[in-house]
């Protein structure tokens, strides 16, 4: 479990997060929702020590992340950023970099590293694209490569910052299904989503943020039905129950 | 994962590396054999084994052609690897030590050094390195300060380059002795290679290239962007500063040997990328070999094209590099509009 307590963070002297407390259970999909600029990405980036002005306590299974070296942290937590520059690099080579936290000096790959990369490519059904250049792939294929990179990193936790942005609906659902299977295999997934219906369907645990603070947390239904939702988003989600379960929609 | 395709691409990398080494050796032999006084291969062999000073041919070999050829090889390898590193770190294939002012920084430092009457090889090496290093970090700092899009970093480098070159010219105008001493530096060439500078240069260049080659993984991870690199466990700032320091050391040492040679650090990494791929583990050693052979061939052409007149190699490189740079810009435009 990742536990955040008393986290204050910001950039260039301006504070974005104020006294954030949150818990993300092991082997579950936790989704952070909230309006733009409320500090969702800053929270995720703080877990990885990517925000220099972050103060507070963040721990993984009771061990403070501050006590870990950069490489130790990378062996425990993988990260899919919201956007990144598309490198002039082959898919297989890109996924090999997921093994970087395990390399000594000089940087020689071991048999185990090749095996982990092969498994990650196979799991993401990328074996046929292994020798394609990243710049020649579609957005959906690239996102699969980034997830394969995170899998090759072989971590307990995967953080995903808006992983479905820029993806068409089929690719969004495919990515979320894979995230669900990863959680079922024991990995802790923390992701930022904007879609309430997807949140309701895939999240085991939801954290609602607004104005740099955690407003509430709980199961998806509890949070989405909470009056805090209207306070945070200025809209009220509506619900209906169908044969396949509860659904959520917004009326403008 | 060591599947057939992966091992065949590794084999290709090894084959290409061997071909590059052969090109390098051929360029060096031609550079030694051809010139105002031609030297056949048997004569070259004889002069090599007889040692310096016993015949006219051996004196030409040991005191003129060999130092000059070694200088072209060292300088070419250094500039090519420096360019490849700078392009990776700045994630910009238009960057090179010449374009972003690293060479000019070294050139200015050498001008200051000679104006102050300091001519020792190690002192000049130290100044050249410090100048290249200062220019590199100035460009990176400006890029960071103004928000560093990939183009902005290159543009700030162009501005730094112009300023440093202007100061160098100013020093050369005001201190005529320094101008005379560093005239070769400003144009760039191998007509007056200082043999005492070759040994320290060779030590620095070979050591820096070996260290950089062992860090090719780190360089690639760095080029994925700061957040990704840090999340993969790389100490981003420390690694960036370290590899840029080595790149500056290479460019500065090259300036110490041959003056300000333009475009090698731009042209060679591009050709290397096209031949071997951007993410190959062989990219950096390939760049070193290709750069060494390329500058040796350019120096040979500069000597032979208008014989008996000799063109400074720096002028020939600029004549090739200018159009190459424009071609690159056109290619990038095509890629954007495709």
């Amino acid at each position: 479990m990742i536990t955040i307590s008393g986290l204050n963070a910001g950039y260039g002297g301006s504070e974005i997060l104020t006294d954030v407390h949150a818990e993300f259970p092991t082997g579950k999909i936790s989704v952070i929702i909230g309006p733009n600029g409320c500090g969702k990405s800053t929270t995720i980036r703080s877990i990885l020590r990517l925000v220099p002005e972050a103060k507070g306590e963040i721990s993984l299974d009771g061990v403070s992340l501050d006590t870990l070296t950069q490489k130790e942290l990378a062996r425990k937590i993988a990260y899919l950023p919201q956007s990144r520059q598309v490198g002039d690099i082959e898919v297989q080579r890109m996924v090999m970099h997921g093994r970087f936290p395990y390399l000594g000096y000089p940087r020689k790959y071991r048999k185990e590293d090749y095996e982990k990369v092969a498994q990650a490519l196979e799991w993401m059904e990328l074996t046929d694209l292994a020798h394609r250049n990243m710049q020649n792939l579609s957005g959906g294929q690239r996102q699969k490569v980034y997830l394969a990179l995170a899998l090759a990193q072989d971590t307990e936790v995967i953080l995903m910052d808006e992983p479905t942005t820029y993806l068409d609906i089929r690719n969004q659902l495919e990515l979320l299904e894979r995230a669900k299977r990863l959680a079922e295999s024991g990995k802790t997934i923390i992701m930022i989503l904007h879609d309430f219906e997807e949140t309701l369907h895939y999240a085991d645990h939801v954290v609602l943020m607004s104005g740099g603070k955690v407003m509430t947390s709980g199961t998806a239904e509890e949070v989405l039905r909470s009056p805090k939702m209207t306070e945070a988003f200025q809209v009220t989600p509506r619900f209906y129950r169908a044969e396949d379960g509860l659904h959520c929609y917004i009326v403008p | 994962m060591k599947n057939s395709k992966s091992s065949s691409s590794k084999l290709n990398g090894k084959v290409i590396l061997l071909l590059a080494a052969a090109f390098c050796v051929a360029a060096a032999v031609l550079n030694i054999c051809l010139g105002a006084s031609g030297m056949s291969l048997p004569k070259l062999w004889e002069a090599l084994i007889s040692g310096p000073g016993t015949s006219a041919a051996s004196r030409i070999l040991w005191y003129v052609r060999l130092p000059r050829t070694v200088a072209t090889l060292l300088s070419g390898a250094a500039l090519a690897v420096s360019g490849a590193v700078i392009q990776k770190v700045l994630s910009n294939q238009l960057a090179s030590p010449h374009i972003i002012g690293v060479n000019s920084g070294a050139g200015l430092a050498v001008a200051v050094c000679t104006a102050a009457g300091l001519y020792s090889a190690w002192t000049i090496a130290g100044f050249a390195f410090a100048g290249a290093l200062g220019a590199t970090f100035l460009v990176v700092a400006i890029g960071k300060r103004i928000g560093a899009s990939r183009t902005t970093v290159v543009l700030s480098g162009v501005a730094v380059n112009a300023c440093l070159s202007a100061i160098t010219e100013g020093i050369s105008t005001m201190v005529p002795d320094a101008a005379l001493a560093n005239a070769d530096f400003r144009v760039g060439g191998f007509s007056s290679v200082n043999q005492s500078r070759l040994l320290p240069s060779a030590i620095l260049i070979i050591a820096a290239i070996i260290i950089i080659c062992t860090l090719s993984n780190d360089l690639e991870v760095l080029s994925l962007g700061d957040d990704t690199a840090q999340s993969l466990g790389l100490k981003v700032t420390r690694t960036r500063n370290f590899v840029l320091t080595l790149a500056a050391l290479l460019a500065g040492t090259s300036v110490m040997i041959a003056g300000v040679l333009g475009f090698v650090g731009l042209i060679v990494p591009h050709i290397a990328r096209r031949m071997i791929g951007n993410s190959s583990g062989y990219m950096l050693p390939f760049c070193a070999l290709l750069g060494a052979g390329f500058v040796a061939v350019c120096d040979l052409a500069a000597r032979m094209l208008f014989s008996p007149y000799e063109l400074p190699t720096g002028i020939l490189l600029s004549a090739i590099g200018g159009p190459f740079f424009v071609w690159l810009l056109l290619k990038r435009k095509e890629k954007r509009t495709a």
Side-chain angles (χ1 to χ4, degrees), chain A residues 48-50 70-71 100, chain B residues 89 137 140 144 218-219 221-244:
Chain A
L48 283 158
R49 299 205 293 245
L50 294 173
Q70 198 65 39
K71 281 206 168 181
F100 187 80
Chain B
V89 174
F137 283 95
V140 172
K144 246 186 174 173
D218 302 52
L219 263 175
V221 169
L222 195 59
S223 73
L224 301 178
D226 286 8
D227 281 5
T228 304
Q230 193 168 328
S231 73
L232 287 169
L234 185 77
K235 287 177 177 159
V236 171
T237 307
R238 204 171 78 173
T239 307
R240 180 186 290 123
N241 289 346
F242 182 63
V243 291
L244 279 177

Side-chain angles (χ1 to χ4, degrees), chain A residues 45 49-50 70-71 74 84-85 88-89 92-93 97 100-101 105 107 109 114 118 131 135 153, chain B residues 1-2 5-6 10 91 214-215 217-218 220-221 223-224 227-228 230-234 278-279 335:
Chain A
R45 287 166 52 80
R49 299 205 293 245
L50 294 173
Q70 198 65 39
K71 281 206 168 181
R84 53 177 127 196
Q85 60 205 47
D88 177 12
I89 183 170
Q92 181 175 303
R93 184 81 183 155
H97 288 315
F100 187 80
Y105 184 85
R107 316 294 192 211
Y109 292 111
Y114 288 105
H131 296 282
Q135 292 178 338
Q153 216 172 320
Chain B
M1 185 46 45
K2 281 182 172 171
K5 204 161 182 184
S6 142
K10 278 188 175 178
S91 296
T214 65
L215 294 174
N217 252 319
D218 302 52
E220 229 171 60
V221 169
S223 73
L224 301 178
D227 281 5
T228 304
Q230 193 168 328
S231 73
L232 287 169
L234 185 77
N278 190 34
S279 55
K335 209 172 174 183

Side-chain angles (χ1 to χ4, degrees), chain B residues 10-76:
Chain B
K10 278 188 175 178
L11 186 70
N12 285 342
K14 278 180 187 164
V15 169
I16 288 181
L17 214 56
L18 276 174
L19 287 174
F23 164 64
C24 203
V25 171
V29 171
L30 283 175
N31 211 348
I32 290 172
C33 291
L34 300 180
S37 160
M39 197 182 287
S40 64
L41 280 177
K43 256 191 170 180
L44 168 65
W45 179 247
E46 202 179 295
L48 258 179
I49 53 169
S50 66
T54 51
S55 66
S58 77
R59 279 198 294 277
I60 289 173
L61 172 70
W62 286 96
Y63 297 120
V64 182
R65 299 269 174 86
L66 199 57
R68 183 173 183 141
T69 304
V70 170
T72 61
L73 297 175
L74 286 173
S75 185

Side-chain angles (χ1 to χ4, degrees), chain B residues 281-308:
Chain B
Y282 297 103
M283 170 71 182
L284 290 169
F286 183 61
C287 261
L289 291 169
L290 201 62
F294 175 72
V295 172
V297 167
C298 285
D299 183 53
L300 179 65
R303 283 195 293 124
M304 302 296 287
L305 276 178
F306 303 101
S307 178

Side-chain angles (χ1 to χ4, degrees), chain B residues 167-212:
Chain B
I167 299 171
T168 308
E169 290 303 321
I171 290 174
S172 303
T173 309
M174 286 191 281
V175 189
D177 286 349
L180 215 59
N182 69 38
D184 289 339
F185 275 101
R186 284 180 287 146
V187 182
F190 299 93
S191 57
S192 53
V193 170
N194 187 329
Q195 291 191 36
S196 67
R197 290 177 195 167
L198 280 183
L199 183 64
S201 310
I203 294 168
L204 292 175
I205 288 171
I206 292 168
I209 289 177
I210 289 172
I211 295 170
I212 285 177

